[in-house]
Amino acid sequence: MSDKTTIGVGMIGYAFMGRVHSQAWRSVGAFFDLPLAPRMAVLAGRSKERTEAAAAQLGWDAVETDWRRLVERDDVQIVDICTPGDSHAEIAVAALAAGKHVICEKPLANTVAEAEAMVRAAAAAPPGVKSMVAFNYRRVPAIALARRYVEEGRLGEIRHVRAQYLQDWIVDPEFPLVWRLQKDKAGAGALGDIGSHIVDAAEFVTGQHVVGVSGLTETFVKRRPLAGESAGLGASRAESTGEVTVDDAALFIGRMSGGALASFEATRFATGRKNAMRIEINGQDGSLAFDFEAMNELWFSQGGGGFERILVTEPDHPYAGAWWPPGHGLGYEHTFTHEIKDFLEAVATGADPVPSFADGLRVQRVLEAVERSAADGGRYTNVED
């Protein structure tokens, strides 16, 4: 029997992100020696029947059909927000005011104003209440190792950043109009959903911020069949159609705070690319390259030589030592386990978890600058502080 302090978790939303977060909450204590023992106390969703079925499948003890009741419960100390972006701000602000720790899926909000309200709520929360935005790719061991190499000075002065996130899941024009294709729910399309990841990854690995951008966006398929029953990223199709109100692809260049030039591409129309989240950093003395479709590998070049492949599964590599013997690779779900581990440690020790809501706000400001630039013919646009 564990003598660790138990901390109750309430999660809102049980679809794609809810499933991977549930996996993380279930597994984190089995692989990491944590100061707290999370209890999967409550799952919230709008449909009682569906929420009960999800809770039984995913391992949650109880259900609520109103997120406000979840926030009010005495057995919940952590609120995990896995809903579409249009509800992030309202839930997070209420939870923080109630003295609950908050972990919120990315992007932090649908607008800069909403993200600013969340940052203010985090600052005004009772002492010791922590908050974090869930940019899970920071917790890929190879990306964390890339960050370490940059911090150690192995690349020297950073000159170039290239980041891409390439998917193809809506190439079919008959793919239904799911919520991620509706601006009122998602805030933005590929730019916000996956572009936010590569902006955060670029800033995380380099330790620099994006300070200005010039961008283009495009919606290739303007109308789609309305969505029926949804499951994960997909849904059934109805006969009638509706307007796509977000971008399908975004392409932008930028400048980093340390002087590096950067390029970013986010698209859901790269036929054949399933989840190619890529980043390459070129420095004065060396380079790094990563592709999530080969997530256990980091490519490194130093001193003008060619790239060497590093299999990031050794015990001294970030996070990897908690799992399997060297050479036994990790997967997508492990990144969420790592972020939950880091969040719980911060809550227990009183440290400020990263990425913070302020980090999420900074990414939101980059996305907004790209949208303003694209609306103005690609004009170079400064990212607001």
Side-chain angles (χ1 to χ4, degrees):
M1 189 73 175
S2 174
D3 59 357
K4 295 179 181 178
T5 300
T6 298
I7 189 165
V9 181
M11 189 175 77
I12 306 168
Y14 54 80
F16 176 24
M17 282 299 105
R19 290 174 64 83
V20 291
H21 279 235
S22 296
Q23 166 72 11
W25 289 115
R26 286 198 309 269
S27 64
V28 65
F31 290 91
F32 292 94
D33 185 16
L34 298 170
L36 295 170
R39 173 176 171 261
M40 297 167 66
V42 192
L43 177 66
R46 287 172 293 188
S47 164
K48 186 173 187 295
E49 181 180 357
R50 293 180 183 178
T51 307
E52 286 178 343
Q57 181 183 41
L58 300 175
W60 295 89
D61 292 345
V63 302
E64 294 284 2
T65 55
D66 185 337
W67 64 262
R68 296 168 184 81
R69 288 200 294 268
L70 180 148
V71 168
E72 294 168 354
R73 289 179 62 130
D74 292 336
D75 59 347
V76 171
Q77 288 81 48
I78 293 174
V79 173
D80 186 354
I81 304 172
C82 295
T83 59
D86 61 334
S87 60
H88 286 185
E90 183 181 13
I91 297 171
V93 169
L96 290 165
K100 313 291 184 177
H101 308 289
V102 174
I103 179 170
C104 181
E105 258 304 318
K106 46 52 59 186
L108 185 62
N110 278 2
T111 67
V112 167
E114 290 175 349
E116 288 173 341
M118 296 170 74
V119 170
R120 289 194 298 269
V129 172
K130 303 300 179 182
S131 54
M132 187 175 86
V133 58
F135 281 113
N136 64 296
Y137 288 113
R138 287 189 178 208
R139 270 71 185 201
V140 176
I143 289 184
L145 184 62
R147 160 85 173 209
R148 181 191 296 175
Y149 280 9
V150 171
E151 288 180 326
E152 291 173 351
R154 298 196 190 194
L155 274 65
E157 180 183 336
I158 304 301
R159 302 281 173 74
H160 291 285
V161 178
R162 295 182 195 86
Q164 297 176 310
Y165 205 143
L166 313 177
Q167 296 178 336
D168 72 352
W169 60 277
I170 58 171
V171 166
D172 181 357
E174 294 301 308
F175 187 91
L177 189 65
V178 295
W179 69 263
R180 284 181 169 84
L181 307 183
Q182 301 171 51
K183 189 172 182 61
D184 61 331
K185 297 181 177 64
L191 175 63
D193 186 24
I194 54 180
S196 62
H197 273 303
I198 53 176
V199 171
D200 181 73
E203 294 196 339
F204 171 66
V205 174
T206 64
Q208 300 182 23
H209 300 157
V210 180
V211 296
V213 297
S214 175
L216 299 172
T217 61
E218 184 57 68
T219 303
F220 299 114
V221 178
K222 305 294 195 293
R223 296 188 67 84
R224 291 181 176 274
L226 295 178
E229 196 76 18
S230 63
L233 292 178
S236 60
R237 295 194 297 263
E239 292 297 322
S240 54
T241 65
E243 182 184 4
V244 177
T245 51
V246 299
D247 60 277
D248 286 333
L251 182 66
F252 57 102
I253 57 174
R255 186 177 294 277
M256 308 296 289
S257 56
L261 299 180
S263 65
F264 299 87
E265 181 183 9
T267 180
R268 297 157 168 170
F269 274 74
T271 305
R273 298 298 181 190
K274 302 305 175 184
N275 205 48
M277 185 274 199
R278 300 167 166 178
I279 187 165
E280 179 170 327
I281 312 293
N282 304 131
Q284 179 180 1
D285 302 321
S287 294
L288 293 165
F290 169 81
D291 185 338
F292 187 76
E293 290 186 349
M295 70 166 285
N296 293 288
E297 300 176 2
L298 179 68
W299 291 82
F300 178 53
S301 172
Q302 192 170 36
F307 278 86
E308 65 170 306
R309 171 179 172 268
I310 302 170
L311 188 61
V312 190
T313 60
E314 294 295 322
D316 62 337
H317 290 152
Y319 305 105
W323 296 99
W324 321 123
H328 294 69
L330 301 186
Y332 175 69
E333 72 276 14
H334 294 90
T335 66
F336 294 89
T337 305
H338 300 159
E339 76 180 7
I340 295 300
K341 171 255 188 193
D342 289 346
F343 184 62
L344 286 171
E345 289 180 342
V347 168
T349 62
D352 291 327
V354 291
S356 65
F357 277 15
D359 295 324
L361 170 60
R362 188 171 59 248
V363 171
Q364 202 76 45
R365 286 176 170 155
V366 174
L367 304 181
E368 184 194 57
V370 173
E371 290 184 319
R372 287 191 283 120
S373 172
D376 194 21
R379 183 188 297 273
Y380 185 81
T381 302
N382 290 323
V383 177
E384 296 179 1
D385 293 330

